[in-house]
Amino acid sequence: MNLAEAAARADELAGSGSAQELASLRTEWDDELEAAARSADFRERALAFRAIGMFRWRAKEELLRRGLDDGSPAARGSALLSLEQLSREHPSTVNSVRPLLHKMLADEDENSAVRRLAVLVLKNGSAPRDTIVLLEGLSADDDADAELRKAAGSVAQGLKRKAQDKR
């Protein structure tokens, strides 16, 4: 079994609620995942960052933070996918990397798919005003990618509703 197969198995175990088997699989693959996240090959790093989410491995969130600064758009995208997955039940995951997500969104040179993924991650976090303003600005930016504008507008509206519900 390779890391991709182990991650798929971990995703199955997490989905079925087999916590003990999942913990055992994490222990078995810990060193290999760490090594892949530090690989010189962007494909291995991307796989490692994606596997963290599939393993539901909250203890590896620091690796995902590093993944957000990776030189490869594929690796950054994989880290974002895992952050989105981990943050569905734990908004603190998004809140802890919010400045990095804002930086990705503000950088017009950033890969457009990566920027869209950063928008989607923000939907799972809290709804601070600066995030909403940034997303609304993106949704109104005629120079931005149409899909990015649409996603930013949708997430901004969702965060506004979330903020109003808290009041």
Side-chain angles (χ1 to χ4, degrees):
M1 183 179 332
N2 61 32
L3 182 57
E5 293 165 342
R9 178 72 180 132
D11 195 39
E12 290 172 13
L13 292 172
S16 68
S18 302
Q20 283 187 308
E21 289 180 61
L22 180 58
S24 176
L25 197 59
R26 283 179 185 153
T27 301
E28 181 180 338
W29 286 91
D30 187 21
D31 291 339
E32 186 162 336
L33 186 133
E34 290 274 344
R38 290 170 173 73
S39 172
D41 185 340
F42 76 91
R43 292 169 295 214
E44 289 182 35
R45 294 191 313 274
L47 173 61
F49 295 137
R50 185 65 189 108
I52 292 169
M54 295 173 78
F55 272 94
R56 311 300 196 275
W57 214 333
R58 295 186 50 74
K60 299 288 185 190
E61 286 181 13
E62 183 56 39
L63 275 178
L64 292 178
R65 279 187 202 94
R66 284 201 317 239
L68 295 178
D69 284 329
D70 196 280
S72 162
R76 290 191 307 278
S78 291
L80 287 164
L81 286 170
S82 286
L83 281 169
E84 193 281 328
Q85 187 167 27
L86 292 174
S87 66
R88 290 176 193 166
E89 295 177 13
H90 301 278
S92 63
T93 301
V94 172
N95 297 336
S96 68
V97 295
R98 184 177 307 279
L100 292 172
L101 297 173
H102 283 193
K103 179 181 165 203
M104 285 178 156
L105 291 177
D107 184 358
E108 293 180 10
D109 291 332
E110 178 62 83
N111 178 286
S112 64
V114 169
R115 290 177 81 194
R116 284 192 306 274
L117 286 171
V119 167
L120 295 177
V121 171
L122 285 168
K123 81 179 181 336
N124 294 339
S126 60
R129 184 78 190 131
D130 62 335
T131 296
I132 294 170
V133 169
L134 176 63
L135 291 171
E136 287 177 333
L138 276 174
S139 71
D141 183 358
D142 291 336
D143 293 332
D145 175 77
E147 290 180 42
L148 175 63
R149 289 194 321 263
K150 182 179 176 184
S154 175
V155 171
Q157 291 304 312
L159 290 177
K160 279 182 173 178
R161 282 191 297 277
K162 190 185 289 190
Q164 289 173 349
D165 291 345
K166 277 194 166 185
R167 291 180 192 162

